[in-house]
């Protein structure tokens, strides 16, 4: 049996130590620990990497602390539009959903697209019809309401502005969530989920549900989940870029991840970070912002819960 590992993130951005209360920081660390440990337990019990990343991301979606699931931000129309993706590295199967509303755990719907449809990516009305066919309960908008998110939206409502969670004009609640894992069989998987950006219009889609941009997994190389300014991660095809650097340049997971985040994405003025694991259960978690909510655990003894640089 091989070693196994998991890493999770809850968004990257301008996380300045001192602007957060000790109580709020403790809440974030506790939420990260619960989600990480739940995924790690799946791996420890011999479960698959796909099961582990789904479990961790669902728990992050269920807390209003992060911009995914229950904590999703408000669109320009005062609604919640969520995106998610999941991918496994053994057979390169993937599933993704975008512009969905009322779904408690978008990551699970993405997995159902992967396993119960002939498709990879479903969006909008079609994704919602698929969800209803699969028996998903459609939650009322009240479930997703959060006062801090609402006030965040009110501050820029009816303007041409939009707000990324990791921009300077931010609230205390952060971003996109994701998980990557390597199981005892050396299979890797990645999952990512987000509520997008505050006051977003025109059906905007970020990198999170796009395979190769915000989410990717391949046993030959690695599993990656990204967080940051989505438009830049799409343009840089960042998740696949890490894999590509490993496959075609022979780079290690750490070297490829650093190249993508500290060089290549910066060259197009993008900010954010990523988490990644390879099939030997190595972990990388680089970011080029002030901080990134992150946690990792491995059978090799790694045990990390961190926010700042």
């Amino acid at each position: 049996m091989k070693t196994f590992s998991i890493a999770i993130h809850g968004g990257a951005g301008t996380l300045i130590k001192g602007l957060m209360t000790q109580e709020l920081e403790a809440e974030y660390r506790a939420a990260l620990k619960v989600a990480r440990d739940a995924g790690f337990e799946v791996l420890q019990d011999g479960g698959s990497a796909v099961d582990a990343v789904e479990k961790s991301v669902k728990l992050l979606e269920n807390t209003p602390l992060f911009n995914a699931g229950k904590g999703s931000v408000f669109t320009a129309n005062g609604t919640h539009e969520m995106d998610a993706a999941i991918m496994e590295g053994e057979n390169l199967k993937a599933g993704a959903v975008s512009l969905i509303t009322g779904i408690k755990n978008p990551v699970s719907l993405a997995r159902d697209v992967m396993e119960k449809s002939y498709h990879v990516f479903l969006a909008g009305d079609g994704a919602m019809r698929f969800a209803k066919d699969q028996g998903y309960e459609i939650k009322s908008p009240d479930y997703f309401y959060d006062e801090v998110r609402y006030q965040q939206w009110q501050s820029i409502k009816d303007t041409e502005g939009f707000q990324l969670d990791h921009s300077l004009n931010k609230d205390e609640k952060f971003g996109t969530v994701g998980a990557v894992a390597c199981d005892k069989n050396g299979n890797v998987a990645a999952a990512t989920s987000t509520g997008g950006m505050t006051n977003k219009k025109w059906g905007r889609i970020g990198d999170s549900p796009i395979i190769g941009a915000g989410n990717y997994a391949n046993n030959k190389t690695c599993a990656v989940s990204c967080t940051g300014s989505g438009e830049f991660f799409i343009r840089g095809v960042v998740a696949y870029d890490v894999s590509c650097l490993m496959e075609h340049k022979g780079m290690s997971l750490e070297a490829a991840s650093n190249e993508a985040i500290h060089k290549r994405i910066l060259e197009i003025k993008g900010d954010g970070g990523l988490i990644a694991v390879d099939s030997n259960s190595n972990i990388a978690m680089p970011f080029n912002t002030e901080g990134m909510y992150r946690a990792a655990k491995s059978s090799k003894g790694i045990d990390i819960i961190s926010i700042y640089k």
Side-chain angles (χ1 to χ4, degrees), residues 178-246:
V180 293
C182 173
D183 62 31
K184 288 181 177 180
N185 294 315
N187 294 319
V188 300
T192 310
S193 181
T194 187
M197 56 168 62
T198 298
N199 207 42
K200 68 176 181 175
K201 295 186 269 192
W202 310 304
R204 179 262 184 187
I205 298 168
D207 65 306
S208 297
I210 299 176
I211 303 303
N215 200 80
Y216 189 72
N218 187 334
N219 279 5
K220 289 180 182 176
T221 52
C222 60
V224 182
S225 175
C226 301
T227 174
S229 300
E231 279 68 17
F232 295 96
F233 280 75
I234 295 170
R235 288 161 54 194
V237 202
V238 173
Y240 178 71
D241 199 28
V242 176
S243 172
C244 203
L245 288 166
M246 292 176 70

Side-chain angles (χ1 to χ4, degrees), residues 102-105 108-109 112-113 116 126-139:
I103 302 296
K104 180 181 178 183
N105 293 117
S108 295
L109 184 59
D112 280 341
V113 171
K116 299 177 182 177
M128 294 304 297
R129 286 201 299 274
F130 176 76
K132 287 170 185 172
D133 289 346
Q134 297 301 317
Y136 277 76
E137 176 191 355
I138 307 303
K139 294 281 189 185

